[in-house]
């Protein structure tokens, strides 16, 4: 089963990406992605 998640930039807290992941995964998603607001690649974490 898949769950929808939102990724937020750690630097400016803007919510840039919407993804799906395994619903039963215990860890929160953490990826390096491009942030248009910061104009650079930053760490994005899963938010509720």
């Amino acid at each position: 089963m898949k769950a929808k998640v939102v990724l937020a930039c750690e630097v400016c807290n803007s919510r840039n990406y919407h993804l799906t992941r395994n619903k039963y995964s215990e860890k929160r998603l953490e990826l390096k992605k491009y942030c248009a607001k910061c104009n650079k690649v930053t760490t994005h974490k899963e938010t509720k």
Side-chain angles (χ1 to χ4, degrees):
M1 202 180 235
K2 297 286 183 175
K4 293 180 184 176
V5 295
V6 178
L7 297 181
C9 177
E10 281 195 326
V11 178
C12 65
N13 293 322
S14 64
R15 295 173 180 218
N16 300 321
Y17 293 95
H18 303 279
L19 304 172
T20 59
R21 69 170 180 95
N22 186 354
K23 186 175 183 176
Y24 302 108
S25 178
E26 294 179 9
K27 293 185 180 178
R28 290 207 165 200
L29 212 60
E30 188 173 319
L31 301 169
K32 288 199 176 240
K33 294 281 203 175
Y34 177 77
C35 179
K37 206 169 190 181
C38 298
N39 203 24
K40 59 184 172 181
V41 176
T42 59
T43 305
H44 284 67
K45 284 190 174 180
E46 178 183 338
T47 61
K48 287 190 173 182

